[in-house]
Amino acid sequence: MPQENTILVGKKPPMNYVLACLTAFHEGADEVLIKARGMSISKAVDVAEMVRNKFMPQASINEVKIGTDEVLLKEGTGTKRASSITIRISKTK
Amino acid sequence: MPQENTILVGKKPPMNYVLACLTAFHEGADEVLIKARGMSISKAVDVAEMVRNKFMPQASINEVKIGTDEVLLKEGTGTKRASSITIRISKTK
């Protein structure tokens, strides 16, 4: 059965997310989605590039999508817009 | 003749690049490439989303590509790697 995993990139060091990604593939995922919002978008791209260039030359980036998410404000007074990215990496056999 | 323009997103405020993009379309470009490296990648995504959502609902994001560039260090002692993004926006008629 094809498996899919999503890794949400946030405030931790990039290598944490690289490891999460490699672990997902190691556990049998065929495809991993790396997602991020706002300032973490740059980090998400770094993570995807590190996975592909340093650790899994057999991986390929299938799709990169950008969009806008509505994010609820903490105060509960409304929403703000934040850009988002989704990078789809798959193991090529 | 189809025209193509490239906007390199750097340290200026996002709105500067949004304006550059709108100007390029206004001057007859059919397609604009928004490029950025490293920490400016998030800003490039914001710029593309602002152009599409706020200013040009008729524009569409055709392609988003990520990659790694070799960047020359200032000291001239070598290169470092930096992630990059290229977002292709086109006017749909």
Side-chain angles (χ1 to χ4, degrees):
Chain A
M1 202 180 82
Q3 284 192 38
E4 194 185 90
N5 282 271
T6 300
I7 289 160
L8 188 63
V9 174
K11 294 188 188 298
K12 294 178 195 163
M15 202 48 78
N16 290 38
Y17 304 106
V18 171
L19 277 176
C21 196
L22 297 176
T23 306
F25 279 123
H26 194 73
E27 287 173 350
D30 296 310
E31 198 167 73
V32 172
L33 296 182
I34 299 175
K35 291 190 180 193
R37 269 196 207 131
M39 292 306 294
S40 303
I41 289 177
S42 306
K43 202 188 285 178
V45 174
D46 287 341
V47 168
E49 286 295 304
M50 275 195 268
V51 167
R52 183 174 60 167
N53 293 326
K54 293 201 183 156
F55 299 101
M56 288 184 60
Q58 78 276 27
S60 66
I61 290 169
N62 283 6
E63 191 192 20
V64 184
K65 263 199 311 199
I66 61 175
T68 302
D69 288 358
E70 295 275 331
V71 182
L72 276 174
L73 293 175
K74 269 183 198 156
E75 304 84 40
T77 47
T79 57
K80 64 166 188 173
R81 289 177 165 196
S83 300
S84 67
I85 195 167
T86 305
I87 302 167
R88 188 186 292 273
I89 301 187
S90 69
K91 227 192 268 190
T92 43
K93 282 153 196 168
Chain B
M1 201 181 82
Q3 285 193 37
E4 195 186 90
N5 283 271
T6 300
I7 289 159
L8 188 63
V9 174
K11 295 189 188 299
K12 293 177 195 162
M15 202 48 79
N16 290 38
Y17 304 106
V18 171
L19 276 176
C21 195
L22 297 176
T23 306
F25 279 123
H26 193 73
E27 286 173 351
D30 295 310
E31 197 166 73
V32 172
L33 295 182
I34 299 175
K35 291 191 179 191
R37 270 197 206 130
M39 291 306 296
S40 303
I41 289 176
S42 307
K43 202 187 284 177
V45 174
D46 287 342
V47 169
E49 286 294 306
M50 275 195 269
V51 168
R52 183 173 58 166
N53 293 327
K54 292 200 184 158
F55 299 102
M56 288 185 60
Q58 77 276 28
S60 66
I61 289 169
N62 283 5
E63 191 191 20
V64 184
K65 263 200 311 201
I66 61 175
T68 303
D69 288 358
E70 296 274 332
V71 182
L72 276 173
L73 293 175
K74 270 184 199 157
E75 304 85 39
T77 48
T79 57
K80 65 167 189 171
R81 289 176 165 196
S83 300
S84 67
I85 196 166
T86 304
I87 302 167
R88 188 186 291 273
I89 301 187
S90 70
K91 227 192 267 187
T92 44
K93 282 153 197 168

